Amino acid sequence: MSDRPQPPSEILTMIKVMVVDDSAYNRVTISKLLDSARDIRVVATAVNGEDAIRQVMKHRPDVITLDLEMPVMDGFAFLRWLMVTLPTPVIAVSSRSSDRSVFKALELGAVDFVAKPGGRISAQLEQIGTDLIASVRQCRQIRIENVSARLARQEEAPPAIEESGRAVVGIELVVIGCSTGGPPAIQFLLETLPLLPIPLVIAQHMPAIFTRLFAERVNKLTPYTVKEAQDGETLQPGFAYVAPGGCQTEVVRSGDRLRVATYDALLEDLYAPSVDHLFSTASDACGPALIAVVMTGMGDDGAGAIRKVRENGGRTLAEAESSAVIF
């Protein structure tokens, strides 16, 4: 019968979401997008940070979508309060005019971000529906206690670092793959990792434009020279290259040197940049002289190629479950 109740399993897996945005149009549109998914229900909306505090205490949502630029109390102030008082997965929904703000939000505890097309109030907002629903669903796997632990570590003085070559004898390259939770993890890694006399190449699932901004941000905060990878450039020791969003990045050998090649992703590519593609080409180029690292993230990108790295004699590492935002 059409009116029979939902099975208990469906009720138990329903994701309760709160939408925070000072634009009434955005609140309504985002709520409609999320409510269109069978397993997502918008339980509350809020017009600013102060209103969000009241609503989150009343409704205790599983996930919060958060505008960052709001009057009275902005998204950053609300995030600081939330992560201390009632840690909850937050997805920053930010306009492209405030691209750099998303990294501040991630540093304060947001676990993911989705960029609004157009301006802060955009008639194109429905375009983000697929990405936003996917991001909310993956919050089921978020280990919010690990986000809180990472925020606590940020309050501590970073350990002194120094240049060190002893731990990388026989290694030409380190490749790193990340997805959800990756930007703060990469920043922390490069802040605390001794300055290695070899290059690093990083594939972080992130849209175009944001990878360059992310590289510029981390470059100011770590001893590494961090930049977005450019097609054809030779990899230099002490540099960390971020694979550009919307493109595929590979490592190729040119005589006794390594260089990167980048090209536009195909329509059928699920990830761009792809960790699998980066790891696979790096393994072809470096063989046993490669270290491949998989850090926090969603999905299986990197799982296949890291086996290839191992089979070719390279060294493989994975972030511990005790620290990964998504293991």
Side-chain angles (χ1 to χ4, degrees):
M1 296 174 63
S2 60
D3 59 345
R4 66 185 179 185
Q6 288 183 307
S9 59
E10 289 193 22
I11 296 173
L12 289 173
T13 57
M14 186 68 69
I15 306 169
K16 299 183 299 179
V17 180
M18 183 172 80
V19 175
V20 185
D21 200 302
D22 65 316
S23 160
Y25 173 83
N26 289 349
R27 289 195 305 276
V28 170
T29 304
I30 292 172
S31 295
K32 286 182 177 179
L33 291 173
L34 294 175
D35 279 332
S36 69
R38 291 182 60 207
D39 55 343
I40 297 173
R41 180 163 57 93
V42 175
V43 296
T45 63
V47 301
N48 55 49
E50 286 188 359
D51 188 21
I53 289 174
R54 291 190 291 269
Q55 299 300 329
V56 77
M57 296 304 294
K58 179 179 179 180
H59 295 280
R60 302 296 176 104
D62 301 315
V63 182
I64 297 169
T65 72
L66 180 65
D67 184 22
L68 299 176
E69 298 174 354
M70 298 179 292
V72 185
M73 176 187 282
D74 63 19
F76 305 112
F78 171 71
L79 254 179
R80 291 187 183 96
W81 173 89
L82 182 73
M83 296 311 295
V84 170
T85 309
L86 190 67
T88 304
V90 170
I91 301 166
V93 182
S94 173
S95 65
R96 291 192 182 278
S97 62
S98 56
D99 290 341
R100 288 177 173 82
S101 297
V102 300
F103 299 112
K104 181 179 178 181
L106 293 172
E107 192 172 291
L108 292 173
V111 297
D112 203 357
F113 70 91
V114 176
K116 296 176 186 174
R120 294 186 61 240
I121 302 174
S122 173
Q124 301 172 310
L125 199 58
E126 292 184 3
Q127 295 176 6
I128 70 172
T130 300
D131 289 341
L132 186 58
I133 289 171
S135 186
V136 167
R137 283 174 172 159
Q138 74 179 16
C139 284
R140 283 191 177 112
Q141 299 187 41
I142 293 291
R143 295 173 178 267
I144 197 65
E145 68 277 10
N146 289 350
V147 177
S148 298
R150 191 254 302 165
L151 294 175
R153 285 195 301 269
Q154 288 177 183
E155 298 299 320
E156 302 172 358
I161 56 176
E162 57 185 24
E163 187 169 346
S164 174
R166 292 184 300 171
V168 291
V169 173
I171 299 298
E172 290 184 288
L173 177 68
V174 175
V175 287
I176 301 170
C178 287
S179 185
T180 305
I186 292 169
Q187 180 179 318
F188 181 79
L189 176 67
L190 296 184
E191 284 176 332
T192 56
L193 186 70
L195 188 60
L196 302 177
I198 54 174
L200 289 72
V201 182
I202 300 162
Q204 163 69 53
H205 293 160
M206 193 179 290
I209 300 176
F210 288 96
T211 44
R212 176 179 57 81
L213 296 172
F214 175 61
E216 291 173 355
R217 176 182 177 84
V218 179
N219 182 60
K220 298 174 183 178
L221 301 172
T222 77
Y224 286 85
T225 301
V226 185
K227 66 187 299 292
E228 187 178 60
Q230 294 182 317
D231 184 47
E233 70 179 316
T234 299
L235 299 181
Q236 301 291 335
F239 278 61
Y241 301 86
V242 178
C247 297
Q248 298 299 2
T249 296
E250 59 185 34
V251 176
V252 295
R253 183 168 291 280
S254 180
D256 61 347
R257 296 186 177 186
L258 297 173
R259 61 183 179 85
V260 289
T262 66
Y263 55 90
D264 291 338
L266 303 175
L267 290 176
E268 60 266 27
D269 287 344
L270 184 59
Y271 301 106
S274 162
V275 178
D276 269 330
H277 192 77
L278 172 63
F279 283 15
S280 181
T281 58
S283 184
D284 290 337
C286 300
L290 177 69
I291 296 177
V293 184
V294 172
M295 298 181 69
T296 177
M298 183 70 178
D300 60 358
D301 188 27
I306 205 168
R307 294 188 182 95
K308 177 179 179 178
V309 172
R310 194 68 173 266
E311 290 167 358
N312 286 347
R315 305 180 194 180
T316 56
L317 299 169
E319 183 174 0
E321 188 172 3
S322 60
S323 67
V325 172
I326 294 182
F327 180 60

